[in-house]
Amino acid sequence: MGSSSLSEDYRLCLERELRRGRAGVCGDPSLRAVLWQILVEDFDLHGALQDDALALLTDGLWGRADLAPALRGLARAFELLELAAVHLYLLPWRKEFTTIKTFSGGYVHVLKGALSEDLLIQSFQKMGYVPRDNHRLTMAALPPACQLVQVALGCFALRLECEILGEVLAQLGTSVLPAEELLQARRASADVASCVAWLQQRLAREEEPPPLPPRGSPTVFQTQLDLYRDLQEDEGSEEASLYGGPSPGPDSPPPELACRPPLWGQSAKLWGARGGAWEPLGEAEVLPQAGSPPYGALKEEPEPEPDAFSFLSLRQELLSRPGDPGRSGRASPQRGYGPSPPPPGYQAHGCLAPGALPTLCCDTCRQLHAPHCATLPACRLGHALRVLLGDTQQRLWLQRAQVDTLLYDGPGARP
């Protein structure tokens, strides 16, 4: 199975989970088993996935006295990176995903304790982020959907690689050995058993393991936590978020849609406050700007949430509209001034193939869209987008669009 086939299977897994109301990292056990087996037999698959496995693993394990907890920390870091790429792929219009705070939250708790700053910046640059100042990464240009899937799949493969290396250490019976020997044995072996045998022979020839190279203690990064968060909140808490903020903003999804990664909890602290809509940054805007307010500091008025659709409310709405032919004996006078009324009814956009169900609904231009419609970037700028969850809701909204089409496009319909 090639990398392109794996990418397609991974993409289908993400979209299948989104239809079930979950926007998170891949949890398909069958895809996990297949990728695990391929990676065990062929470490070079990481090269085809372009996930920089050797550089990231060497950086995360170098100088660690005990490799087992280091591998667990790396797995959590790769899961958080995967989650960031998945969010941009599935929910690119979400405003809080345009800025990542590098001074608190999951960036400090999970990422900086496992990987160096340079490699973290390189990983986020693949997702379209650039450093805006010393405290934030900001979205400069959203990459193509296929690139985001590739980045997320690479992080998924790195998570599995950490688990494979952990299995090697468990069968070896010790996790105190140089990282370069573990990685060398892993690359030279075609399965876990041969990797363990290679390490056993290597360790048997060495009476005393070589001294570990110097490495800064991970506690260096923990000194920043007291500057931004309550000490009691940091101790014993495994919640991690890249976006910061004390509570979800008005545009945050309902609890059933919010991702709940298994390695750290989910709470109201995960999502940041609501900020501005996503716009590509120019070259001048990427440079640090002194005195600019932090992301989410400006408050906006919440937009009214459209009412849930039902055919009874649709009939009542149609009967109450002034000027509809055949609805009343007298037509209400039309106003000559003021803003024009919104477009009548909802319509299925041309991106929906016949028989396909919509996954997105724009309540501003009143159109139903496929997940990767080419016109969605225009809808992200101030429009009210909602995710249609489950086949039942998607079919209901598609039926509404068909009813609206019959009412307004049929014979005798209002111009």
Side-chain angles (χ1 to χ4, degrees):
M1 180 180 293
S3 60
S4 59
S5 178
L6 286 172
S7 297
E8 180 65 15
D9 291 343
Y10 184 84
R11 181 187 67 82
L12 294 176
C13 170
L14 296 180
E15 296 181 357
R16 183 167 57 249
E17 291 298 310
L18 179 63
R19 289 193 295 269
R20 295 173 180 171
R22 295 186 294 270
V25 297
C26 179
D28 188 343
S30 59
L31 179 59
R32 176 190 180 89
V34 169
L35 185 54
W36 172 290
Q37 188 61 36
I38 296 176
L39 286 173
V40 167
E41 297 175 356
D42 186 10
F43 183 87
D44 292 336
L45 177 64
H46 290 291
L49 297 177
Q50 301 178 359
D51 57 9
D52 300 328
L54 194 57
L56 290 168
L57 291 172
T58 302
D59 179 76
L61 298 178
W62 186 262
R64 300 290 192 184
D66 191 344
L67 299 185
L71 285 171
R72 290 193 293 268
L74 277 175
R76 296 181 68 216
F78 293 141
E79 183 168 0
L80 191 56
L81 290 172
E82 179 186 0
L83 182 63
V86 169
H87 280 162
L88 293 177
Y89 173 71
L90 293 178
L91 308 169
W93 61 89
R94 289 286 300 273
K95 300 171 185 178
E96 61 266 38
F97 299 155
T98 61
T99 298
I100 292 175
K101 297 182 178 181
T102 60
F103 59 82
S104 64
Y107 198 94
V108 169
H109 281 282
V110 178
L111 298 182
K112 291 185 70 172
L115 295 168
S116 64
E117 186 76 19
D118 292 341
L119 289 179
L120 288 176
I121 297 299
Q122 292 178 17
S123 299
F124 280 110
Q125 284 176 341
K126 294 181 180 180
M127 308 179 202
Y129 291 101
V130 295
R132 186 178 182 89
D133 51 35
N134 293 331
H135 306 295
R136 289 175 295 175
L137 302 176
T138 307
M139 178 61 63
L142 190 68
C146 59
Q147 180 176 335
L148 293 173
V149 172
Q150 186 74 12
V151 172
L153 175 60
C155 294
F156 181 45
L158 288 169
R159 278 203 291 138
L160 294 184
E161 184 62 46
C162 290
E163 296 180 11
I164 293 173
L165 293 174
E167 179 65 21
V168 170
L169 295 178
Q171 295 189 20
L172 184 63
T174 179
S175 56
V176 181
L177 70 159
E180 61 270 20
E181 291 193 1
L182 175 63
L183 294 178
Q184 183 181 359
R186 173 71 182 91
R187 297 179 64 191
S189 307
D191 52 46
V192 173
S194 60
C195 183
V196 172
W198 193 95
L199 286 171
Q200 287 174 339
Q201 295 178 2
R202 185 65 176 267
L203 295 177
R205 292 195 299 265
E206 297 178 355
E207 297 181 357
E208 183 177 351
L212 294 172
R215 179 186 178 96
S217 173
T219 57
V220 172
F221 304 112
Q222 300 296 330
T223 58
Q224 301 184 28
L225 297 180
D226 296 346
L227 298 178
Y228 307 100
R229 303 181 66 180
D230 190 3
L231 179 62
Q232 295 179 355
E233 180 181 331
D234 294 324
E235 292 180 350
S237 174
E238 293 188 353
E239 296 171 356
S241 170
L242 292 174
Y243 316 107
S247 61
D251 288 341
S252 294
E256 61 271 13
L257 179 59
C259 175
R260 297 177 177 85
L263 294 180
W264 57 86
Q266 173 78 10
S267 74
K269 302 171 189 172
L270 277 177
W271 307 116
R274 179 182 178 185
W278 176 84
E279 294 182 1
L281 295 176
E283 183 177 356
E285 296 180 21
V286 175
L287 298 177
Q289 299 179 359
S292 59
Y295 176 78
L298 299 179
K299 296 183 179 179
E300 300 178 3
E301 292 295 330
E303 298 175 359
E305 181 69 19
D307 296 333
F309 167 72
S310 69
F311 286 103
L312 292 178
S313 62
L314 173 63
R315 180 177 180 273
Q316 183 178 4
E317 177 186 359
L318 294 176
L319 291 175
S320 62
R321 285 179 180 172
D324 284 356
R327 301 298 182 189
S328 175
R330 295 180 300 172
S332 300
Q334 301 294 326
R335 296 182 180 269
Y337 304 97
S340 58
Y346 285 80
Q347 303 292 328
H349 191 259
C351 63
L352 287 174
L357 295 177
T359 58
L360 297 169
C361 172
C362 179
D363 291 311
T364 304
C365 54
R366 298 198 172 190
Q367 289 186 335
L368 309 180
H369 296 274
H372 296 291
C373 175
T375 62
L376 277 179
C379 284
R380 295 176 193 146
L381 303 178
H383 286 205
L385 284 172
R386 72 167 76 193
V387 179
L388 305 180
L389 303 177
D391 291 346
T392 301
Q393 188 180 21
Q394 293 171 0
R395 293 183 188 278
L396 185 63
W397 276 94
L398 184 60
Q399 291 172 5
R400 171 173 185 167
Q402 294 170 351
V403 170
D404 287 344
T405 301
L406 293 176
L407 288 174
Y408 295 101
D409 294 344
R414 175 172 70 178

